[in-house]
Amino acid sequence: MKTSFAYIRPLLGAAVLACALSLAGCASAPPPTEDLAAARLSVARAGDADADQYAPTQIDQARRALEQAQAAAGNGRDAEARTLALSASALADLAHARARQAVTEAELAQRRAEITNLRQRLQGEN
């Protein structure tokens, strides 16, 4: 009886196909364009909320991280670019929140001063 490899051929074909698909799956992920766009938007939103005045450290860090993310993306380092873009977004969101907090606290102090002033005027009338 002759040994035949005919029964192995379909298994070998399936194994080669599985390897090819797994290698294609390991190929680089798509460029982080959405992450970079989200980071740009977050930095712009923080800038519009006067983060330069109220959270200068965080907005500067966010801008640096965004610049580094853009440079990494330009050099084909997509994973690093994605990580830096997410970091830039988080830092910009923190700067935005701190700026909004500072504005809100200033408004609260102003309202409290107005209330104190009104109370004094009402007591003066009595």
Side-chain angles (χ1 to χ4, degrees):
M1 181 168 142
K2 284 184 154 183
T3 305
S4 172
F5 291 102
Y7 64 93
I8 297 178
R9 186 173 285 171
L11 294 175
L12 186 59
V16 169
L17 180 62
C19 286
L21 289 175
S22 67
L23 287 175
C26 291
S28 64
T33 53
E34 290 180 17
D35 296 319
L36 287 170
R40 281 187 213 99
L41 184 63
S42 292
V43 168
R45 187 177 71 156
D48 291 344
D50 293 328
D52 289 309
Q53 178 181 355
Y54 297 111
T57 303
Q58 288 78 23
I59 193 66
D60 287 343
Q61 290 174 343
R63 287 180 178 137
R64 275 196 305 275
L66 179 57
E67 289 171 5
Q68 291 171 349
Q70 290 170 334
N75 292 328
R77 298 185 324 259
D78 292 342
E80 182 182 353
R82 183 170 286 108
T83 300
L84 287 165
L86 292 173
S87 177
S89 290
L91 287 164
D93 289 345
L94 176 61
H96 180 262
R98 290 211 172 146
R100 292 296 309 142
Q101 178 185 6
V103 168
T104 302
E105 286 174 355
E107 290 173 356
L108 176 62
Q110 182 180 0
R111 298 297 179 259
R112 286 183 174 161
E114 290 172 2
I115 290 170
T116 301
N117 187 14
L118 287 171
R119 283 185 179 155
Q120 289 173 350
R121 287 180 36 199
L122 285 172
Q123 288 176 352
E125 291 177 2
N126 289 333

